[in-house]
Amino acid sequence: LVSLERAGTEKLRVYYLKTLNELKSQRDNLKKILPDNYEMNEESKAVFYSQWYYSAIRLLVSLKKFNSTKELAERCGLPLKKTQLVLDFLIKNGLCIEKNGTYEIGPLNTQIGNDSLLVTRHHSNWRQRAINTLDRSSDKVELFFTSTAALSKEDLQKVKNILLKAVENSFEIITPSPSEEVFCLNIDWFRI
């Protein structure tokens, strides 16, 4: 920003503006600030992000009490056969590991970039799960918040920066945390 202000020529000013915009774009890419990405091939991504339960089962196996097919099926409300198919997929793709008839989680995180055609489906799956959870929620640990706001263009970027920092700060806690519960984080901040 200082270099931009001090730029003596229009060519130099354009260069610094371009550099600044690239830095802003990188900052807004959540995939770059979240730890330990695991890249699947496109076909596997299409399957994994097609339904919420692929990610849910993968995370649930990190809890000691959910490491059998039956326990996972009951927790997710899925048929036993479907749960086994999901587990087979997760094992085949290295996202879960089977040891002595029980399951463990594989790599820490999988993310999908905003540039993927699958990202809308992924977000929709989890938003729908959040809506379904509203009907049964009495858990004081869960948080549901909806707000609409009118604000200046300058302040909307400030709010977006706060939310991005909150995600980054959350993963600094989540990543080393031992697996005891599985939760979903949805943050919706969009122009109406």
Side-chain angles (χ1 to χ4, degrees):
L1 289 172
V2 172
S3 296
L4 177 62
E5 289 297 317
R6 292 182 179 171
T9 65
E10 186 59 28
K11 184 177 179 180
L12 192 56
R13 182 172 159 65
V14 167
Y15 168 79
Y16 286 126
L17 273 174
K18 181 180 176 189
T19 303
L20 182 62
N21 287 334
E22 287 172 1
L23 289 171
K24 284 180 182 178
S25 177
Q26 289 175 5
R27 179 203 60 214
D28 290 351
N29 186 349
L30 286 174
K31 193 173 179 181
K32 292 186 188 275
I33 65 172
L34 298 174
D36 297 322
N37 295 326
Y38 172 72
E39 286 294 326
M40 291 181 275
N41 65 45
E42 292 303 313
E43 184 180 334
S44 295
K45 283 181 189 177
V47 173
F48 184 79
Y49 292 110
S50 69
Q51 295 290 336
W52 62 272
Y53 45 76
Y54 285 93
S55 180
I57 289 172
R58 181 180 161 271
L59 291 170
L60 284 167
V61 300
S62 69
L63 281 58
K64 300 290 185 225
K65 60 185 176 182
F66 296 109
N67 59 13
S68 78
T69 308
K70 183 178 183 217
E71 292 162 338
L72 291 163
E74 288 173 1
R75 172 66 181 254
C76 293
L78 296 171
L80 202 57
K81 187 173 181 178
K82 181 179 289 268
T83 304
Q84 188 59 58
L85 288 172
V86 171
L87 284 164
D88 292 344
F89 169 86
L90 295 172
I91 291 165
K92 178 182 172 192
N93 286 278
L95 296 170
C96 287
I97 302 162
E98 183 178 13
K99 287 186 180 175
N100 302 323
T102 62
Y103 302 95
E104 295 177 10
I105 195 166
L108 289 178
N109 292 300
T110 60
Q111 279 100 32
I112 190 164
N114 287 338
D115 56 345
S116 172
L117 297 174
L118 301 169
V119 73
T120 302
R121 178 66 181 191
H122 176 60
H123 289 307
S124 297
N125 288 336
W126 284 106
R127 299 289 179 309
Q128 188 58 50
R129 289 302 299 164
I131 291 167
N132 294 345
T133 302
L134 282 170
D135 292 334
R136 65 161 176 80
S137 180
S138 61
D139 190 341
K140 293 189 181 349
V141 181
E142 293 175 333
L143 171 67
F144 296 96
F145 178 76
T146 302
S147 174
T148 54
L151 66 164
S152 70
K153 290 180 181 179
E154 179 183 334
D155 289 341
L156 71 85
Q157 187 59 49
K158 290 177 185 175
V159 172
K160 183 177 179 182
N161 292 343
I162 289 167
L163 295 173
L164 286 169
K165 190 64 178 169
V167 170
E168 186 175 8
N169 290 344
S170 296
F171 273 85
E172 288 174 6
I173 296 168
I174 291 167
T175 300
S177 182
S179 297
E180 295 173 356
E181 292 287 344
V182 175
F183 269 70
C184 176
L185 171 65
N186 288 334
I187 298 174
D188 297 322
W189 179 245
F190 57 93
R191 181 175 284 113
I192 297 174

